[in-house]
């Protein structure tokens, strides 16, 4: 029910890792994610360690889900000299095309321990249902579970 929108996104992510470039608002870095079905909803989890919850932006337009986040540098005292800095800073973004069988009006978001978790219910019209078979001369009717 999910579709990647940019087949070259992974290549960009690998290039950014090799070159050590940070994401910008015009060219954000990718963020890792997991997506799976759990009962009657889809769950998407994004890794955003070190990102403040107020620096995360989630939008849905039609069936396009966009998550943007910014990891800002931590303020340090003036007498601190950085020895090693490997944690990426900058802007991260991910777009996911959602199937029309998902209820985009009722997405819930939770952010805990650096993981943003979105839960998207499956729309009622997409859930399996049983169809009763009528005998000839009677009307057929749909029975919901």
């Amino acid at each position: 029910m999910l579709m990647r929108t940019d087949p070259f996104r992974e290549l960009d992510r690998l290039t950014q890792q090799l070159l050590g470039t940070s994401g910008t608002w015009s060219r954000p870095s990718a963020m890792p994610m997991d997506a799976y079905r759990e009962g009657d909803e889809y769950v998407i989890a994004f890794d955003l360690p070190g990102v403040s919850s107020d620096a995360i932006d989630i939008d849905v337009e039609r069936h396009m889900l966009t998550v943007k986040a910014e990891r800002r540098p931590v303020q340090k005292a003036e007498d601190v000299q950085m020895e090693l800095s490997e944690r990426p800073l900058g802007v991260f973004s991910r777009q996911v095309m959602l199937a029309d069988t998902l209820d985009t009006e009722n997405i819930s978001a939770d952010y805990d321990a650096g993981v943003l978790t979105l839960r998207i219910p499956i729309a009622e019209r997409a859930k399996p249902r049983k169809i009763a078979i009528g005998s000839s001369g009677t009307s057929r009717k749909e029975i919901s579970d």
Side-chain angles (χ1 to χ4, degrees):
M1 291 208 184
L2 303 176
M3 185 176 94
R4 285 193 172 174
T5 58
D6 184 358
F8 298 103
R9 185 93 171 169
E10 196 64 21
L11 184 58
D12 286 344
R13 185 186 65 77
L14 290 172
T15 303
Q16 287 176 356
Q17 279 182 337
L18 291 173
L19 299 176
T21 57
S22 296
T24 63
W25 283 106
S26 62
R27 188 153 178 88
S29 298
M31 65 182 81
M33 73 173 217
D34 290 337
Y36 53 93
R37 183 174 177 164
E38 186 176 89
D40 284 342
E41 62 186 7
Y42 262 86
V43 180
I44 306 175
F46 298 93
D47 280 349
L48 294 169
V51 174
S52 172
S53 62
D54 64 340
I56 300 172
D57 185 39
I58 306 166
D59 286 318
V60 176
E61 186 176 337
R62 297 187 190 153
H63 294 289
M64 180 66 70
L65 170 73
T66 303
V67 177
K68 283 190 177 184
E70 183 177 10
R71 184 178 301 129
R72 300 174 182 119
V74 177
Q75 297 290 52
K76 295 174 182 54
E78 287 184 28
D79 61 343
V80 173
Q81 181 178 343
M82 184 62 80
E83 295 288 330
L84 178 65
S85 180
E86 293 181 345
R87 298 180 342 168
L89 299 174
V91 180
F92 302 87
S93 178
R94 191 73 183 253
Q95 286 190 313
V96 179
M97 180 67 81
L98 302 176
D100 62 351
T101 55
L102 297 176
D103 183 1
T104 58
E105 296 294 320
N106 293 302
I107 297 174
S108 64
D110 181 46
Y111 186 62
D112 185 40
V115 178
L116 173 66
T117 304
L118 303 180
R119 295 185 174 278
I120 310 166
I122 295 174
E124 285 297 320
R125 69 181 182 280
K127 292 181 181 175
R129 59 189 183 277
K130 295 189 185 273
I131 308 296
I133 301 173
S135 60
S136 98
T138 61
S139 63
R140 295 182 179 153
K141 66 178 187 175
E142 191 175 296
I143 300 174
S144 300
D145 279 341

